[in-house]
Amino acid sequence: MNQRLRPAVTDPVILMFSRRQVETLDLAEPLQFLRRLTADRHTALEFSGRLSLVIDGYNDDPRELFEIPDVRAYINGLDQEWRYWFFFLSQADDSIKLLESCLCETIEVVPGVTSVDMEQLESALARHFGAMNALCEALDVPEEKNEEISEGIINLIHNAAVEQIEGDDYR
């Protein structure tokens, strides 16, 4: 197992949002938790790469989470208040994909294949990388740690990208 991903797999931290929280745009409890993660260097390093986002209560909804306006609004609301996602989100699951697909115009082209507005994605990535860099600087996190996380995120994005789908079935 990749050592960098081990804590996310063996000791994940699940940040679960209930449908009630989402529908009422109740950000208070998760923001309180998220802000504690950035309070000091020790806590930040302890939770780095371990956070998994889970949205509960939509299992019977046939739509993808990014297709649900309340979910998009909720994730957007959290992102407006706290932008240090990349330092903390697990790279061993779909948390980063969920975050970015909710923040950007995203459509499902065919089941399991999505298309994301690239300008919006570039803006969101710049915002999140900038926030991570600022956090690492403020908490004196080693540059190697920042580079390791950044490389993992870039690899995730590259691996998820499909430049063009061939064939008449997908036009």
Side-chain angles (χ1 to χ4, degrees):
M1 175 186 305
N2 183 326
Q3 285 300 100
R4 178 176 55 79
L5 300 178
R6 181 176 297 280
V9 174
T10 59
D11 198 16
V13 175
I14 308 298
L15 181 56
M16 184 177 296
F17 312 114
S18 70
R19 187 171 187 149
R20 182 200 56 76
Q21 282 177 301
V22 169
E23 289 176 348
T24 61
L25 206 58
D26 181 2
L27 305 174
E29 185 179 341
L31 283 174
Q32 182 181 17
F33 170 74
L34 291 168
R35 288 178 177 140
R36 283 195 317 247
L37 298 181
T38 58
D40 61 78
R41 183 178 191 270
H42 174 76
T43 304
L45 289 171
E46 181 181 341
F47 287 91
S48 178
R50 293 177 47 204
L51 191 63
S52 292
L53 299 180
V54 175
I55 300 178
D56 189 38
Y58 293 91
N59 297 343
D60 295 331
D61 194 312
R63 297 172 293 178
E64 295 291 331
L65 289 170
F66 64 80
E67 295 176 305
I68 301 171
D70 285 344
V71 172
R72 293 175 63 85
Y74 192 80
I75 296 295
N76 193 1
L78 283 172
D79 187 63
Q80 294 304 308
E81 298 293 326
W82 193 86
R83 296 184 175 183
Y84 305 107
W85 300 108
F86 282 179
F87 190 79
F88 295 99
L89 285 181
S90 171
Q91 295 180 18
D93 62 22
D94 287 335
S95 293
I96 293 171
K97 179 181 171 185
L98 172 62
L99 171 72
E100 300 301 345
S101 65
C102 284
L103 295 176
C104 304
E105 291 300 320
T106 305
I107 59 169
E108 187 172 44
V109 180
V110 294
V113 177
T114 58
S115 175
V116 178
D117 181 294
M118 291 308 293
E119 284 185 31
Q120 291 176 3
L121 180 60
E122 287 174 12
S123 177
L125 293 174
R127 191 170 63 249
H128 293 136
F129 277 121
M132 182 176 72
N133 292 341
L135 178 68
C136 287
E137 187 174 319
L139 296 179
D140 196 28
V141 172
E143 183 66 28
E144 297 79 31
K145 177 76 170 170
N146 188 333
E147 289 173 3
E148 178 184 307
I149 295 168
S150 296
E151 287 174 17
I153 292 168
I154 291 167
N155 286 335
L156 278 175
I157 293 165
H158 282 292
N159 290 338
V162 176
E163 290 188 25
Q164 182 177 358
I165 299 174
E166 299 293 333
D168 293 334
D169 294 341
Y170 302 111
R171 290 190 183 160

